[in-house]
Amino acid sequence: MSTTTTTTPITDADIIRLAQHHAQTTSPLPSYLLSSDSHSKLLSFLHARTSFPSPSLAVSEYTLSLLSLISPSPHTPSLTFLLSSLLSSYTHIFTSLLIPHDSNSLKTLQFFVSLLHHVPASSLVPVIDSILLYLPRINDSDDTQILDLLPCCLNLVFDSREEVIRGGDYVDQVFDKMLECNWSKELLLKMVSTVREFSFIDKVRRREFLDKVFLGMKRVDLQDLPSLVYQLLVLCASKGFSKREVIEGIVMFFGSKMGSKVSSIIRQVEGTVLLHVNFAVKQDLSLGQEVMGLVRSDFRAFNHFTVAILLSVARVRRFSESSIGILKTSVLTAYRDYKFAKDCNWLSDDLKEEYLENVKLVEKAVLRAVNESSYGREHIVPSIVQFGFVLLESVEERSSKELWNSNGLLGIEDLGIQMLKILFEVHDMARNEIIEQCKFRILSLKPEQSMPIIRLLGNLIQTYPYPMLEHVSRLKELLDYFTFMHGNVAVYLVTALLPLIKFSRDLQNYTILVMRKAMFRREDTVRIAATTGIIDLILAEKQSKRDGLFSFQESSSQASSSQQGEIPCSLGEGLFQELSGLLQRCLYQQAKVKEVMYHGLLKLVLMDPSSGGAVFDFLLPHFLHFFREEKEVQLEIRSCVKVESGKILIQEPLDCLLSCVSWILILQSHGQTDRVSDSSWACLGFSLSQENEVGRNLAGESFSSAFLKIRKFLRNQNLEGILGQAQDAGSKPLEEEKSKCALILSGIIEVVLNAIATDLEKATDIKKVDLEKEITEFVDLHDSLDKDTRQSNSSRRGNVRTATQDIPNGIDSGHIKLTQGRIPFLATSSIFQLLQTALKLYDTDCSNTIGASQNHSQSSMGNSSKCCSKIIAFVLNAFLRHLKSLSVTGNENPLKTLIYGNIKMLGPQLLKLIFLLKSVPKFATDQQKKEAKGKKDDEDRREHLHLALICLKELMMVSLRSSNLTGLLEDMVSVSPFEFPDSDDDCEAATRIDDQQIRSKELFIRKTLIPLFSELLALSYFGEVEIICDMILMIGNKLPSKWKNIHGAWAVRVCKSNRIMNSKVVKSIVTVAITLSLPPTDLIVAQDMATELLKVTGSETVGPIEKSESYPVINHSTSAAINSCILQLIEAILVDMDWATKKLKTFSLVSQRSTNLNESGENAPGLVFEENLYTRAEAVVKVFSLFVLMSLKEPQAEHLLRLAAKFYKHLAQMSKLRIAPKGCKQLLPSLKFEKLVELTCKQLTGPLYNFVMLVQKKQQENAISKGIIKKIKRENRCIPDLIFQIEDYEKYLIQLSKVSKVNLLRNAKRSTSRDFKILDPDQMMEEDAPNDESNHDDPTAVENESGEDSEDNDGNVSEKILSPESCSPLAAKDFGSDGEDGDALPNAKRVKRGRVVQDSDDET
């Protein structure tokens, strides 16, 4: 064998056979393999095989044979050289594309990898260079096989000690070149899978690598994305790669770069990625923390994929609560920020628009994540259910709903409902959980929190009635708790179930059964809820009939013929007839229950006028208990009330009963009953016979006759006759009976007046005179009873009815049933008629007054003037009650249209009345003032004017809240007698405003309110001027910035041109001037006024003056009110700054982090926001600097100190945010910030210390005054807080100065630390002697005892006075503190002193 080999030339086939033989034996290698002379020939065989028909197999077979021969002893020098040469040659063949890249080449390369550590590092360099040059040509996944060599090669070179190579520099250069070259999608995938094996990459290059990967991900095929993400997640487990950066890149790629692409494939890919992330979080919990930290720190990372990831992470038990909490916080913060920004005047419009876009982004992201939950991500469905209910529980108030709707937003509640509705529709498995959660939360949450859940249930029933039928059993279980629920919750629940009841007779019967049981409960609220539920059931049935249904059951799931035969199809009354027995029980319940039933019966007739006869039949027997007409008409009013424990309680709301009857009669008189009755029966295929019609009208005729008799009876009888006062010895005095029955009787009179006003609307001119006379008589009777009612309310009357203002705000205002208060008896149309009557009588009265005065005769003035005054007072009070009750009446209440109607019609009439009351003829006024009676009439007229303006203000509030009253202001402007001045350009511009609503508001202010303000101010009607200012402020706040600023400038001119001594009026005017002046004008005005206030109030060195020259409204009488007004402005600005500093922190975190979110590196909104905040703070400093020089009274001084402490707290936060965290570049403070610091140190901090000294000095001078100890205690809580906040602010300035090399404290006064102790005044004299001895009669110590701050250059005096423990460090002492929070100030020990307040002046 050996002889043959030496004489015969070897071939590649011999090498292959030798390898096969050598694998089976342990014989030594032939000598030619160990000889370097034969290596070139061996390598030539390798190159020759590239020309074989199957080059990949041929090359791999030969290479593997050589490697198998080398592998037993690769450390042999000659074999090592052969291995190096073979590696280089094979690499060249592979990168030159001389052989196909397949499984054969992969097997060969893997063998090479196992032997690489035997190859010298210098021999690896050419291989690496060859692979590096080959990278741009990689276009297939098989082409990347050669990259398996790279990690080991580079690591071996990096670890090499050969100085010629300089392994560290070389591998860095190689990696940089790899990052610089273009990566195909195949190369990118391979690099991600192999990069974790590179042990030499530093932090910066890892970040650059991730940037390149995420930039190139958009070129990767969709089917490869899940595997790529998995490899990236594996990178997170490897040491060195930032988990935050990896998670951030994944989130932003799928959320932003892929966000616009929506297809089923992409959704499936995202679902697979979510599963990978979920699995990775389970393996490494720190990844979950990074996901939540990313969203918490930067809102820009919030997108639909972020939501999906957080919902997926929430499935990990460890992160269930925290992940949902992050989502909740992000959503709520977006809504709150937008709501705050919209009302914040100093924010730019661009920033407000950005916050609006943020809310829209949040809503779209959440809804998209929910909509896509069915694409391979069903595991997040339970998390979505949990998140949806968390949002519903987070609903704060429904008052913001108009704000969301006006900007095309859903709002928190509707967003939660929409999420759960989507789940209910798409995922059958989620339905049980949603219904079960609804049931649990309705029963366990507070009433105001459970309302959104019930609204969700109602939405599900209305949208998906048939799927909801499967859950009737659970709904019945929920109804079992009806009697244990809060009244409003119980009623609202039944209302939500009504649409489903018509599909399920079982649920209907069960609901009726629950109502029956509830009627026997002892609690009033339960019985009221049950009564309301019964009425709602009846109304729902009538509604379904009106919609063309025979009964509830006929609309259920297409019952069979036999089933339909079993369903009772009651003609006529239906459920009303069936439940009339249960309603009869209501007639023996409390008055509140009866009121609910009477209102419900009226709703029934409104919905189905054909039910009027049945309702009359139902009510007539009960009515006859209180109405008798044996010989003469008699009302048993005394039996309607009783007195218990000195309180008057209503047993029968007879006025509500008569109101119900009266309205039904009015509706029948309008012909509604006949028309609707005919159509109602015609749809059933029947027609009413004459006998039935007559029978049904008997009760109605009885009621109509009885009502006319009552009307006549009340008009003709005196109070004694009305109350049926018997003249027997045992009867109670008339006054006592009158006060007891006054409330019921007043209500009955209002019912009668409503009927008269209805008749007046369609009466002829001749009949109108009689009706107007009747109105005056009833108003006179009502006025006398009203006095007794007021006395009864203030003394003995109990909780008769829920007042309108007692309605809790937390309960759903859109569907208030139990606490809606008393529905007014007078309709809007009736008040309109009464207003017209009052205007007519007032005109007549004024004409008669002038005529009588000219004739020097008073005979015609007396009664007419008195009656007119009473009518005006009555109609205005009724108007005011009407408006207040309107705000709490649900929009879906059928009575709202009937009672309130078109309320716009009242505006012009009210305004006419105001003009009449304001403009009394001067001649008449002069004559009347000569007499006491005339003076009384003038006082009444002013009271009426005041009440009318209150009504106008309330009407404006209703108008601004409702979008249905847009024409009200235009109608009122049309009746205004004032005209624009010819030279007023702003007025002309106002008439050319395109927007109708803005134009009407602006014209109403200019043509009505401002002229009224001027005239009433000239008349010294200060209370009325306050109301006008409130209306100007209320409407002005709804105007755009331009017009708002104009009205603010008008109010400033008023302050400069009028000397007003009334403090309340001045405060109102100044409030308008400051509030309607947009930033920065508002604080400029406040600063100007504060400058004049300083002159008027005086300071420590300058005495006060009588009044300001530039602002005559500022004088001794009004200075305190204006001070209070400006301080309130500062307080509101500090609230804004509190929010702004939190947002500034967010901007700061984003700008200091190197992220993939904003590739351009711009952060313009944050910089603009920061500059605006500093500018605002500068203006606040200027106002504060004036206040600390004033001589303020103790309450205002304390208020100022508290505000200053809050302000310095915000300044400290701003300064802290300027300090860059570790690892981030420290930026220089901006010029705006430096200016703010300089201004604060120069103008505020020093004077503020002096102000604190003066406050203490005044306390000590008044120490013997009564109550001073309590005041000192209160102020001693705010002064140390102020000192601490100042020193905390200066501490951060010191730290910022140190790191930025900018001296920010060059203008600062050295800090002062103070300690305080309340001492008993009796102990002061006892402690004086020991203190004097210890101080050795030092005059400086005596000066300290006087309560003044002493300064000793040597510090010896302070050491004698204070013990070492009481010393506090200077703020400058913290200069060397490197911690972010600095060194905490030590607690100084209290030292007994000879005064009430002690000062520590040691500053060593």
Side-chain angles (χ1 to χ4, degrees), residues 1045-1273:
N1045 228 6
I1046 290 174
H1047 296 306
W1050 165 82
V1052 172
R1053 291 195 299 271
V1054 171
C1055 294
K1056 290 183 175 180
S1057 59
N1058 293 276
R1059 184 180 182 185
I1060 306 172
M1061 305 299 291
N1062 188 288
S1063 60
K1064 292 183 178 180
V1065 172
V1066 169
K1067 185 174 182 179
S1068 297
I1069 299 173
V1070 170
T1071 301
V1072 173
I1074 293 177
T1075 306
L1076 296 186
S1077 296
L1078 297 180
T1081 310
D1082 56 347
L1083 281 174
I1084 293 174
V1085 172
Q1087 184 182 349
D1088 293 343
M1089 290 186 175
T1091 304
E1092 299 303 316
L1093 277 171
L1094 179 59
K1095 298 177 184 178
V1096 173
T1097 58
S1099 61
E1100 185 183 7
T1101 57
V1102 181
I1105 62 175
E1106 179 67 24
K1107 68 178 181 66
S1108 168
E1109 295 297 331
S1110 55
Y1111 285 92
V1113 295
I1114 302 177
N1115 48 63
H1116 285 302
S1117 301
T1118 60
S1119 59
I1122 299 176
N1123 275 343
S1124 174
C1125 186
I1126 297 177
L1127 289 178
Q1128 287 175 4
L1129 168 68
I1130 298 298
E1131 189 169 13
I1133 293 174
L1134 292 182
V1135 173
D1136 293 350
M1137 291 180 66
D1138 181 50
W1139 173 84
T1141 50
K1142 295 175 183 176
K1143 294 295 109 182
L1144 190 61
K1145 181 178 181 181
T1146 303
F1147 284 126
S1148 177
L1149 289 173
V1150 173
S1151 62
Q1152 288 167 353
R1153 289 174 53 242
S1154 175
T1155 64
N1156 296 317
L1157 305 181
N1158 195 346
E1159 296 176 2
S1160 63
E1162 298 179 359
N1163 192 27
L1167 294 175
V1168 173
F1169 179 83
E1170 187 175 355
E1171 297 296 313
N1172 288 342
L1173 178 59
Y1174 294 155
T1175 303
R1176 197 71 171 158
E1178 280 182 36
V1180 173
V1181 169
K1182 292 177 182 178
V1183 177
F1184 264 134
S1185 64
L1186 294 168
F1187 269 86
V1188 296
L1189 300 176
M1190 298 181 192
S1191 298
L1192 299 178
K1193 296 181 181 179
E1194 289 185 0
Q1196 290 183 337
E1198 180 187 355
H1199 191 196
L1200 178 63
L1201 292 175
R1202 294 187 184 279
L1203 294 180
K1206 291 181 181 178
F1207 180 63
Y1208 274 99
K1209 182 178 180 181
H1210 297 322
L1211 291 178
Q1213 288 296 318
M1214 294 179 205
S1215 303
K1216 182 179 178 181
L1217 292 174
R1218 298 298 307 171
I1219 304 173
K1222 292 181 181 179
C1224 296
K1225 182 181 178 181
Q1226 176 63 50
L1227 301 177
L1228 291 176
S1230 64
L1231 294 178
K1232 278 282 186 184
F1233 181 80
E1234 290 190 40
K1235 183 180 178 182
L1236 172 62
V1237 173
E1238 180 181 357
L1239 196 67
T1240 305
C1241 294
K1242 278 185 176 181
Q1243 298 188 16
L1244 184 57
T1245 305
L1248 189 55
Y1249 280 130
N1250 296 331
F1251 182 79
V1252 171
M1253 269 197 317
L1254 291 175
V1255 171
Q1256 297 169 355
K1257 185 176 180 180
K1258 288 181 181 180
Q1259 290 176 355
Q1260 295 165 4
E1261 290 173 351
N1262 300 325
I1264 59 175
S1265 301
K1266 184 178 180 181
I1268 190 64
I1269 297 297
K1270 291 183 179 179
K1271 293 179 181 178
I1272 293 175
K1273 285 182 179 179

Side-chain angles (χ1 to χ4, degrees), residues 667-694:
L667 292 174
Q668 288 182 338
S669 67
H670 288 172
Q672 294 185 13
T673 301
D674 295 336
R675 291 195 300 271
V676 180
S677 176
D678 294 342
S679 61
S680 174
W681 285 95
C683 74
L684 298 174
F686 296 95
S687 60
L688 286 174
S689 65
Q690 187 70 22
E691 295 178 358
N692 287 335
E693 190 67 26
V694 171

Side-chain angles (χ1 to χ4, degrees), residues 505-522:
R505 180 171 184 174
D506 181 35
L507 182 59
Q508 175 190 336
N509 293 338
Y510 197 83
T511 305
I512 295 173
L513 178 62
V514 170
M515 299 299 107
R516 288 183 186 275
K517 291 180 179 179
M519 287 300 298
F520 290 88
R521 297 284 296 187
R522 297 183 60 181

